[in-house]
Amino acid sequence: MPGTVLNQEEEKKLIMHAYRKLLKSIKAKMDNTDRNNIRMAYEIAVEAHSKQRRKSGEPYILHPIEVARICAEEIGLGPTAIVAALLHDVVEDTEVTLKEIHDRFGGRIALIVDGLTKLDGLYNVASPQAENFKKVLKTLLEDVRVVLIKMADRLHNMRTLGAMPRHKQLKIAAETTFIYAPLAHRLGLYSFKTEFQDLAMKITEPEMYGEIARKLQETKAERTRYINEFLKPLNDALKEIGFPYRTTGRPKSIYSIANKIKTKNVPFEEIYDLFAVRIIVDVPLKKEKQICWQIYSIVTDVHKPIAERLKDWITTPKANGYESLHTTVIGPEGRYVEVQIRSERMDEIAEKGFAAHWKYKGINDQPDVFDSWFDSVREILENPDSDTVEFLNDFKTNLFAEEVYVYTPKGDLKILPKGATALDFAFSIHSDLGYHCTAIKVNKKLVPFGYQLQNGDQVSITTGNGQKPTENWLKMVVTGKARSKIRSAMKEERRKQGEIGKESLQRKLRNMKVDFENNVDILVKYFGLTNRPDLYFEIAMERIALSDLKNYFEVDNGRLVEITHKEHEKKPAPEGDGLSKIKKDLVKPRLLINGESADKYEYSLANCCKPVMGDDVFAFLTISSGAKIHRTSCPNATNLMANYGYRVMKAEWVSSGDTSFVIDLKITGIDKGPGVIERLTHSISTDLGLNIRSFYIDGREGYFEGKISLLVLNKNQLNVAIKGLKNLPEVSTVVRIED
Ligand code: MN
C-alpha cells in the first residue's frame, strides 16, 4: 500500500492527537457517563479498526475520529452522535456486533449505528437511485442524527477522495450531487451543501474548478478593499445601535459561480455579485426583527437600494428554516452588492440548519418548518402505491423544490412546493376538502383545479358531498400528499365496485353448485389476472361475463375443471363482451385471423415479442390459452412454424385506432452525471410526446443501461420513438427487447 510510512510510535501519536482534537471540539454539555461512553467508543473503534488502512495508507481509525469531530464541531451534535460516529464503521467492517454495541451503549446508539450500517451498504447494490433515496429518508425519520452523521461521513470521504481511483471518485461525486447536496440543502446545512457541490465539481470539472479557485484567490485583496470601502460609511451608525455586530464578505461558492458563468454565459470578470456582505448582530430574540430593519435602514440611507431585490425571510422563513433580510444596493463604483442582515441565531441556523434549529426549537412562535417537511416525507414514504418513477417525481417536487406562499380565506399562510396547483392546496388543508372539492376560487375568481398557485394567492374551496376523485385528478396535482390521497381514494372505489362483482360471482358459483373459496383462484388464473380483487373488478365492469362460465368449465364434485378441447375446435365466443382473456392494461387492437375478426377467437398478444399494430404477425393456436399473436420476426417463430405448422394461422392488422401497445426498449448510453433519468424522462414524455409505462435505469462508471416500457399506437410511432431516443445526446443504442 502506498502512502506515508510511519512507525508504530508515530502512528499512535497521530491517532492520539486526532482524538484530543475531537474532545476539544465538543461544545455540548457532558456528564461523566457521556465522557466515559466517548472514551469507550474510541477504544473499541481503535481496537476494531487496528488492522485496517485507508486508501491513502493512513490508519483507518483516523476516519471515524474525524467524522466524529465534524459532527461535534461543524454540526454541533452532542455525545450520542459522537459515540455513534466513532462506531459508524465497526459493524460493517469489523468483528464488533450490533448486539455488543447495544449491550454497552444502549438502544438509541445501537439504532443509529444500525441505520448508518444500512446506509453504507446502499451503493453496493444495483438499485435505482430512487430506491436509495427511500432508504435514506426512512432512516431520516427514525433518527435525524443518522443522516447528519452520514453527511459528516460523506463530507470526510469527499475531502479525502484524492487517493481513490478515478472511476470511484466519479461515482461518489455523482451520488453526493444526487442525494447528499440536495438533502443538506433541505435540512438547511448550508455550509455542507456548498462544500459538497464544490468538492463534487472539483472531481467532475477539475479545470473549471481550478480556474475559478485561482481567480478568486487573485481577486481576494481587491474584494477586501472594496468591502471595507462599502462598510466604512456605515460603521458609525451601526455602532450606535448598541448591540455587538460583525460583518463578513465571503465570496460565493465555486460551484455557484461556475453555474452563473454557464447559465448567464458571462466571464468570471463580469460577475458582479461574487460575494455578499453580511451584517450579523448579536441581539436578543425579541428585538431581532426590529434591529434587523434598523440596520436595513442604515445601509439604504448610504447605498441606494434596488426595490425589487428586497427579500424578507425574517417575517416568513424559508421552508428549510432559513431566516434573513436580504437587499441589493448600489455600492461604490456603481456596483450591485447584496447585503444580508441577520442575528447570530439566524446565522447559526443559516449555516447549520436543522442541527441549529433543533437547539432553538420552540423558542419562537413560527410554525415548525421541519416538522411539516418531515410530515410530507412521511406521506410520500407511506404511500404504498407509489412506484419508483412516481416516487422520484413526488420527491423532486415536494422535497427539494422552492416553495410558494399562499393564503386561506382567513388569511392563514400555507407553504406549498413551487408548481403546486389549486387542487393541491385543497388536499393540503384537509383530505376531505380535497376529496369533495367541486370548485376553487383564487383571489375570488374561479380557476381550473390544475391552476398553478402564485405567491400571495388567496385560495378558497367549495365542496359537495357527491364529489369524488377521478383518475384525471392525478394529472392536476403535484404534491405527494394529494397524489397519494387520490390514488388511495381510487383504490377504495375499485374495491367497492369489486364488492358488487364478488357478490355476483358468489351467486353464480352457488347456482353451479361450486364451492366459492376453493375455486375462485382457478378463475383468477384462468383469466390471466394476479389477484382476487382484480377478478371481482373485471366482473363488476362486465368485462368478464359470468353467463359464459359454463362454456369453459365443467363442474366435477363441486370443483371447476377447465374444458380441455382444442382451442380451434371451440365454438366462437358470443358477440360483445365474451369471455375473452383480459390482458391487463392492454386494449385489444383490430386484428384479423384467417380473414375473420380476431374477436371471434380467444387471442392475446405474445409476451415474448410483444407485437404492436403494424408489425408482421401470425397467430399460433395454443393448447390451453387460445390464439397467441407473435411477430414473424419473433425468435420463437421459426421453431413454431417448423414444428407446428398446422397450428399457425394468418393474422393481419386492419386499421389503426385509439388502441395502444406496450413495448419494451433497452437503451444504453453515456452517463453524463446526475439527472440522466430526469433528462431522459423529460425528452421522452415532453419532446417525443410518448407515454412511459415504466422506466428502470442502472448506471455504473459513466455508462448506463436501462429498460423503458412505452405505450405506442402503432409501428410507425414506435419507429419514431426509437429514432427520437437514438438522437438524444446521451443515448448510444436503442433496441427493442425480444425476451
Ligand atoms: Mn465511514
Side-chain angles (χ1 to χ4, degrees):
M1 190 70 60
T4 345
V5 183
L6 293 176
N7 65 35
Q8 253 187 344
E9 266 320 296
E10 285 168 323
E11 277 193 2
K12 247 190 192 156
K13 258 192 205 159
L14 200 68
I15 296 167
M16 269 316 289
H17 179 259
Y19 180 60
R20 264 189 228 111
K21 197 170 148 203
L22 159 66
L23 292 181
K24 253 188 254 162
S25 72
I26 304 174
K27 288 167 234 164
K29 281 207 184 77
M30 295 200 293
D31 56 24
N32 274 337
T33 320
D34 294 331
R35 269 184 280 272
N36 287 339
N37 276 346
I38 291 174
R39 180 82 208 177
M40 187 156 62
Y42 166 71
E43 279 164 5
I44 291 171
V46 168
E47 173 63 26
H49 292 299
S50 63
K51 297 204 169 54
Q52 282 175 285
R53 289 187 178 269
R54 303 196 82 211
K55 272 272 177 313
S56 60
E58 58 178 21
Y60 192 86
I61 182 66
L62 292 173
H63 167 64
I65 295 176
E66 181 60 9
V67 171
R69 191 208 48 84
I70 294 173
C71 286
E73 190 165 339
E74 298 181 38
I75 313 183
L77 293 174
T80 307
I82 293 165
V83 168
L86 283 168
L87 298 170
H88 83 269
D89 276 334
V90 298
V91 173
E92 176 157 27
D93 300 343
T94 78
E95 310 273 272
V96 180
T97 64
L98 201 60
K99 188 175 174 299
E100 284 168 58
I101 290 175
H102 190 283
D103 292 347
R104 289 196 193 207
F105 300 98
R108 178 54 52 178
I109 284 171
L111 177 120
I112 297 175
V113 173
D114 188 34
L116 286 161
T117 309
K118 281 179 188 147
L119 284 186
D120 249 358
L122 217 114
Y123 303 106
N124 303 330
V125 291
S127 75
Q129 293 286 29
E131 286 301 319
N132 293 342
F133 259 136
K134 273 194 191 172
K135 282 183 209 155
V136 176
L137 291 174
K138 270 188 192 139
T139 334
L140 179 79
L141 297 180
E142 270 166 29
D143 192 314
V144 184
R145 282 172 292 194
V146 178
V147 171
L148 295 175
I149 297 167
K150 185 67 206 173
M151 297 244 200
D153 180 33
R154 179 48 63 110
L155 190 60
H156 185 238
N157 285 336
M158 288 290 290
R159 282 174 182 170
T160 54
L161 212 49
M164 286 277 181
R166 175 83 182 146
H167 71 274
K168 281 206 175 146
Q169 290 184 354
L170 286 171
K171 191 172 144 121
I172 293 173
E175 282 159 7
T176 302
T177 316
F178 197 61
I179 298 186
Y180 291 100
L183 204 50
H185 169 76
R186 201 54 192 72
L187 289 170
L189 288 154
Y190 177 79
S191 54
F192 274 56
K193 180 190 84 169
T194 44
E195 196 173 345
F196 277 145
Q197 287 171 331
D198 277 4
L199 290 172
M201 185 187 163
K202 196 173 169 185
I203 287 158
T204 53
E205 293 169 275
E207 276 154 39
M208 188 157 190
Y209 179 91
E211 194 185 315
I212 295 173
R214 183 176 53 79
K215 284 184 174 162
L216 273 177
Q217 192 56 39
E218 283 169 7
T219 52
K220 198 175 166 192
E222 145 62 20
R223 265 199 313 282
T224 312
R225 179 199 64 78
Y226 184 86
I227 290 164
N228 286 338
E229 195 185 330
F230 180 90
L231 288 169
K232 213 166 139 199
L234 306 175
N235 283 332
D236 286 346
L238 286 174
K239 270 179 202 131
E240 269 173 38
I241 295 178
F243 290 103
Y245 72 95
R246 58 195 173 96
T247 53
T248 67
R250 219 167 46 175
K252 291 210 159 107
S253 73
I254 293 179
Y255 172 86
S256 66
I257 294 170
N259 237 353
K260 220 158 204 169
I261 292 175
K262 282 186 236 165
T263 56
K264 301 243 158 103
N265 219 354
V266 291
F268 178 90
E269 289 70 24
E270 282 172 34
I271 295 179
Y272 59 77
D273 54 351
L274 277 175
F275 60 89
V277 170
R278 194 174 292 166
I279 303 171
I280 304 153
V281 59
D282 192 0
V283 57
L285 186 72
K286 269 193 197 155
K287 292 208 149 181
E288 276 181 345
K289 196 169 168 179
Q290 179 203 333
I291 298 298
C292 285
W293 281 104
Q294 202 177 329
I295 294 173
Y296 170 82
S297 162
I298 291 169
V299 172
T300 52
D301 277 349
V302 176
H303 303 296
K304 190 172 178 293
I306 315 231
E308 62 268 32
R309 296 284 188 91
L310 175 64
K311 282 183 191 131
D312 176 7
W313 301 114
I314 294 179
T315 311
T316 317
K318 287 192 188 182
N320 66 6
Y322 184 86
E323 292 173 69
S324 190
L325 189 60
H326 289 192
T327 181
T328 298
V329 299
I330 303 172
E333 298 152 38
R335 282 165 67 178
Y336 285 24
V337 178
E338 181 178 314
V339 185
Q340 304 172 347
I341 303 160
R342 55 175 76 154
S343 69
E344 288 287 355
R345 179 192 66 85
M346 295 175 193
D347 192 56
E348 197 177 343
I349 289 177
E351 294 294 321
K352 292 182 182 161
F354 182 79
H357 171 86
W358 202 245
K359 179 170 143 191
Y360 295 108
K361 198 175 153 88
I363 64 165
N364 61 8
D365 51 7
Q366 300 280 5
D368 193 311
V369 286
F370 287 104
D371 278 353
S372 59
W373 185 60
F374 285 159
D375 280 346
S376 61
V377 172
R378 215 168 273 126
E379 268 160 16
I380 292 175
L381 286 175
E382 280 167 3
N383 175 8
D385 301 331
S386 143
D387 67 20
T388 304
V389 177
E390 272 166 0
F391 172 78
L392 201 66
N393 264 328
D394 286 353
F395 191 79
K396 264 179 24 206
T397 39
N398 290 277
L399 307 186
F400 295 142
E402 294 294 308
E403 46 282 331
V404 58
Y405 297 81
V406 296
Y407 298 89
T408 67
K410 282 184 193 153
D412 291 337
L413 176 72
K414 286 297 270 181
I415 305 175
L416 283 107
K418 209 170 192 167
T421 65
L423 192 55
D424 278 313
F425 174 87
F427 277 98
S428 81
I429 303 282
H430 196 277
S431 350
D432 273 341
L433 216 53
Y435 288 142
H436 304 301
C437 174
T438 52
I440 306 175
K441 280 183 181 173
V442 166
N443 306 327
K444 306 220 161 86
K445 281 195 194 107
L446 272 177
V447 295
F449 282 11
Y451 165 87
Q452 246 187 35
L453 297 169
Q454 305 296 314
N455 274 329
D457 279 351
Q458 190 169 49
V459 194
S460 71
I461 309 290
T462 313
T463 58
N465 273 337
Q467 181 73 304
K468 59 187 174 190
T470 66
E471 181 96 41
N472 225 7
W473 284 25
L474 284 174
K475 294 181 195 143
M476 299 187 278
V477 295
V478 300
T479 60
K481 179 170 184 178
R483 291 177 69 83
S484 72
K485 294 289 173 197
I486 295 170
R487 279 187 215 123
S488 63
M490 293 189 40
K491 214 175 166 186
E492 178 57 22
E493 182 63 22
R494 196 176 154 89
R495 196 191 56 77
K496 270 193 205 153
Q497 293 282 350
E499 286 293 305
I500 302 167
K502 185 179 177 183
E503 278 165 29
S504 4
L505 182 63
Q506 280 170 328
R507 246 189 333 268
K508 179 76 186 170
L509 293 185
R510 214 179 303 133
N511 286 340
M512 290 171 78
K513 307 238 174 336
V514 168
D515 175 63
F516 182 83
E517 253 326 293
N518 290 323
N519 289 281
V520 62
D521 292 326
I522 295 175
L523 292 173
V524 169
K525 200 170 158 234
Y526 182 80
F527 291 108
L529 301 166
T530 49
N531 54 46
R532 292 183 180 195
D534 281 352
L535 176 70
Y536 304 151
F537 185 70
E538 293 301 330
I539 294 172
M541 294 290 106
E542 296 181 339
R543 287 197 287 254
I544 291 176
L546 291 175
S547 54
D548 291 337
L549 223 48
K550 56 181 183 304
N551 297 339
Y552 297 91
F553 290 98
E554 295 166 337
V555 180
D556 179 24
N557 243 340
R559 274 191 81 85
L560 289 173
V561 179
E562 208 176 315
I563 300 172
T564 52
H565 56 68
K566 283 205 174 104
E567 299 297 321
H568 57 284
E569 289 164 7
K570 206 186 273 176
K571 271 186 236 152
E575 288 298 303
D577 273 328
L579 196 63
S580 55
K581 284 212 182 201
I582 283 145
K583 182 105 175 91
K584 225 175 146 199
D585 294 326
L586 193 71
V587 187
K588 283 196 175 161
R590 293 229 262 146
L591 182 72
L592 296 182
I593 295 180
N594 264 356
E596 287 182 295
S597 164
D599 291 341
K600 292 195 172 177
Y601 295 82
E602 195 191 328
Y603 81 93
S604 56
L605 303 176
N607 265 328
C608 49
C609 55
K610 297 196 172 74
V612 304
M613 174 165 286
D615 278 338
D616 284 330
V617 288
F618 66 95
F620 183 79
L621 296 173
T622 63
I623 299 292
S624 57
S625 52
K628 285 265 186 236
I629 311 302
H630 291 264
R631 289 200 272 147
T632 46
S633 63
C634 172
N636 296 325
T638 347
N639 176 42
L640 293 175
M641 292 201 247
N643 294 310
Y644 306 96
Y646 61 96
R647 289 209 228 151
V648 172
M649 292 165 86
K650 195 175 113 187
E652 60 200 323
W653 306 102
V654 280
S655 73
S656 58
D658 288 330
T659 51
S660 41
F661 303 78
V662 184
I663 51 123
D664 296 335
L665 297 175
K666 182 181 155 189
I667 58 167
T668 64
I670 318 289
D671 191 346
K672 293 188 177 157
V676 59
I677 198 162
E678 290 106 296
R679 285 195 296 278
L680 284 173
T681 313
H682 183 266
S683 310
I684 296 166
S685 52
T686 311
D687 304 340
L688 300 172
L690 293 167
N691 218 327
I692 302 175
R693 287 287 307 274
S694 68
F695 193 179
Y696 169 80
I697 197 164
D698 185 18
R700 57 179 84 87
E701 294 160 30
Y703 167 82
F704 73 79
E705 203 176 297
K707 185 182 152 186
I708 314 184
S709 296
L710 293 175
L711 270 181
V712 295
L713 285 173
N714 50 42
K715 179 112 190 232
N716 224 352
Q717 199 185 22
L718 172 63
N719 288 338
V720 171
I722 292 177
K723 219 172 170 185
L725 282 169
K726 277 186 181 159
N727 276 337
L728 297 175
E730 22 214 353
V731 174
S732 355
T733 65
V734 181
V735 183
R736 191 164 163 193
I737 299 175
E738 315 271 352
D739 266 300

